[in-house]
Amino acid sequence: IGQIPIYAKEASAGLINQALQIADIYLEAGQNEKAGVFYKKTLELDPKLEEAQRKLEELGKEKKKLT
């Protein structure tokens, strides 16, 4: 029973990494809105993840340039 939190942390870390990878794939494909959705989801799972914060900020700046 003491190991359940360890498995939960590993599963959570895996989910965070998957969401970040999906966001990166969308970004590389030029699908910025979908990338933004997954960067936000990543930050919901780990609000301190600097990579996702930085990329979401970059997307926001890029969006402002287009308007």
Side-chain angles (χ1 to χ4, degrees), residues 9-61:
K9 286 181 183 179
E10 289 174 3
S12 179
L15 186 58
I16 292 165
N17 287 333
Q18 288 176 346
L20 188 58
Q21 288 175 350
I22 291 169
D24 288 340
I25 290 167
Y26 277 130
L27 186 63
E28 289 177 21
Q31 296 187 27
N32 294 354
E33 286 190 35
K34 289 183 180 180
V37 168
F38 278 90
Y39 287 128
K40 288 177 185 176
K41 177 55 77 178
T42 302
L43 289 172
E44 287 175 17
L45 297 168
D46 183 357
K48 296 181 182 180
L49 190 62
E50 292 180 12
E51 182 179 358
Q53 290 173 348
R54 181 176 37 81
K55 289 185 177 181
L56 195 56
E57 287 174 7
E58 289 173 11
L59 281 174
K61 289 177 186 175

